[in-house]
Amino acid sequence: MRERKDSEPAIATGTPVGVVGAGTMGIGVAQCFAEAGYPVVVVDPDPAALGTGPARLRAGVRMAQLLRRRSSASTGAGARAGAGARAGAGAGAGARAGAGAGAGTDADSGTDSGRGTGAGGGTPAPSSPSPEARVVWSEKLSDLAPAFFVVECAREKVPIKEEILRQLDQVCGPETVFASCTSCIPITRLGSFTGRPDRVIGTHFMNPAPLKDAVEVIRAPGTSEGTVRRTVDLLAEIGKQALVVRDAPGFVTNRVLMLTLNEAATVLGEGTADAETVDRIFQDCFGHPMGPLRTADLIGLDTVLDSLEVLREFTGDERFRPCALLARHVAEGSVGRKSGRGFYQYPEQRQRPEHHLVSRGGASHG
């Protein structure tokens, strides 16, 4: 059993984390928990989404491991170079630097077969199950009955999330926390669909979830202290930093970002600049690692459109009305990287926009 904190109930070893939605974000969230040693149950009603889920998870795990090895190698080379330079100033200092570098490398390896290895840098010990082996796939929400924490990653539509949360409320035990990966919908509204608003919280993972260190955590007025504590602690165990904000439409991230993406698409549509120039201005002038149009393609233009419509509904602010170019791309099925075409073309991507009900809106922003 995990150690009890105040009035928080103890959690039995082997109790799974639930993920609703086998889209881009759902798969990424499942990977984060599985890499940290948690058993995971992923639910999606679409057989096609479940059929491709294991392969997409394996690809995500391989990519994350490759990037981490490259990062570790780069860090190690920098440490060795620094140690060599310092060695010229004194053998004792160089020896201490070498010992420190070795300790850091061992700590970062995260070879722990149990929970809490951290998705940010650790990999399970060779004797432990692979992340893929820790994930179970299902079409039935009832299979989430034993879960102590469920992350909902459904499309950004209130009726869809309402249906899921109402069903989860009937299926899961009273102590289960429901964490929504919504990018815009107020958590107060989502909590109202359950009989446990005190155990409903927002966990806005960024895309790609396994490679992003921070999660925007949204606390509604009715969210309990215990729910916030459990969420923050659990995120820490999988290597994520929780940035807690108050409940509001779009929270901090998308209240600001969606306006930027929509305006970038507007100036592109008006012919002020081409897509590459728009993005280069943000990268070269402002130091952003990715411009707004490529960011929109990564999120999914359909998800951007849904988010803007939700923000317009909940704020009443016409600034969130989707621009004509964005709406046209979505209507034509050119929804970004996942379809192979958006504001840019991605010939390496399969032409497979996600039409299944739950997971289509799973992609969140990075």
Side-chain angles (χ1 to χ4, degrees), residues 11 15-21 29-30 33 39-43 140-154 164-165 167-169 171-173 175-182 190 194 196 199-203 205 227 230-231 234:
I11 298 167
T15 303
V17 173
V19 175
V20 181
V29 170
F33 285 104
V40 181
V41 178
V42 177
V43 174
K140 301 182 297 183
L141 283 173
S142 58
D143 286 339
L144 297 179
F148 75 96
F149 195 93
V150 177
V151 184
E152 171 271 307
C153 300
I164 291 168
L165 288 167
Q167 290 185 45
L168 287 174
D169 200 35
V171 165
C172 298
E175 303 299 336
T176 303
V177 168
F178 298 154
S180 178
C181 198
T182 179
L190 297 179
T194 76
R196 63 185 83 191
R199 292 191 172 270
V200 178
I201 195 167
T203 50
F205 285 81
T227 297
R230 180 190 291 189
T231 302
L234 182 59

Side-chain angles (χ1 to χ4, degrees), residues 340-362:
R341 181 182 177 87
F343 294 123
Y344 295 87
Q345 293 193 41
Y346 305 92
E348 76 280 6
Q349 296 294 113
R350 290 173 54 194
Q351 303 290 322
R352 55 167 191 81
E354 296 169 322
H355 293 298
H356 41 283
L357 180 68
V358 168
S359 57
R360 178 186 163 206

Side-chain angles (χ1 to χ4, degrees), residues 1-308:
M1 303 288 281
R2 201 186 74 179
E3 181 182 355
R4 186 187 301 265
K5 293 188 177 183
D6 299 334
S7 60
E8 181 186 357
I11 298 167
T13 301
T15 303
V17 173
V19 175
V20 181
T24 302
M25 186 52 64
I27 295 291
V29 170
Q31 179 180 334
C32 291
F33 285 104
E35 287 187 318
Y38 283 87
V40 181
V41 178
V42 177
V43 174
D44 195 301
D46 182 23
L50 294 180
T52 62
R56 288 183 285 132
L57 176 62
R58 284 194 297 272
V61 170
R62 286 196 300 269
M63 178 61 70
Q65 291 173 344
L66 176 63
L67 292 174
R68 288 166 190 153
R69 282 197 297 269
R70 288 178 177 175
S71 176
S72 178
S74 175
T75 302
R80 288 191 295 274
R86 290 189 295 271
R96 287 192 298 274
T105 302
D106 291 340
D108 292 342
S109 68
T111 53
D112 184 347
S113 61
R115 292 179 179 177
T117 57
T123 55
S127 60
S128 66
S130 66
E132 302 96 301
R134 293 191 178 98
V135 179
V136 174
W137 308 85
S138 174
E139 297 181 10
K140 301 182 297 183
L141 283 173
S142 58
D143 286 339
L144 297 179
F148 75 96
F149 195 93
V150 177
V151 184
E152 171 271 307
C153 300
R155 185 180 173 187
E156 196 71 355
K157 292 288 187 181
V158 172
I160 293 174
K161 292 184 183 292
E162 177 179 1
E163 180 182 356
I164 291 168
L165 288 167
R166 290 192 186 281
Q167 290 185 45
L168 287 174
D169 200 35
Q170 297 299 314
V171 165
C172 298
E175 303 299 336
T176 303
V177 168
F178 298 154
S180 178
C181 198
T182 179
S183 57
C184 290
I185 301 171
I187 302 305
T188 301
R189 179 68 179 275
L190 297 179
S192 72
F193 302 140
T194 76
R196 63 185 83 191
D198 60 315
R199 292 191 172 270
V200 178
I201 195 167
T203 50
H204 186 200
F205 285 81
M206 306 296 139
N207 185 29
L211 301 178
K212 297 291 185 176
D213 294 334
V215 176
E216 184 181 36
V217 173
I218 305 96
R219 175 181 186 168
T223 306
S224 71
E225 288 287 349
T227 297
V228 175
R229 184 170 57 250
R230 180 190 291 189
T231 302
V232 171
D233 288 350
L234 182 59
L235 289 172
E237 288 180 8
I238 66 170
K240 305 296 183 186
Q241 178 187 10
L243 302 175
V244 182
V245 303
R246 294 181 179 178
D247 194 20
F251 327 123
V252 173
T253 49
N254 282 336
R255 186 65 173 264
V256 177
L257 179 65
M258 289 301 157
L259 283 175
T260 301
L261 303 187
N262 200 38
E263 286 300 306
T266 298
V267 299
L268 175 64
E270 292 174 349
T272 305
D274 60 23
E276 189 68 36
T277 302
V278 171
D279 281 346
R280 284 287 301 277
I281 286 172
F282 277 79
Q283 292 173 280
D284 297 350
C285 297
F286 303 145
H288 291 195
M290 182 183 293
L293 298 176
R294 287 196 187 276
T295 298
D297 276 355
L298 176 63
I299 296 169
L301 303 190
D302 52 344
T303 303
V304 174
L305 183 69
D306 287 347
S307 297
L308 286 165

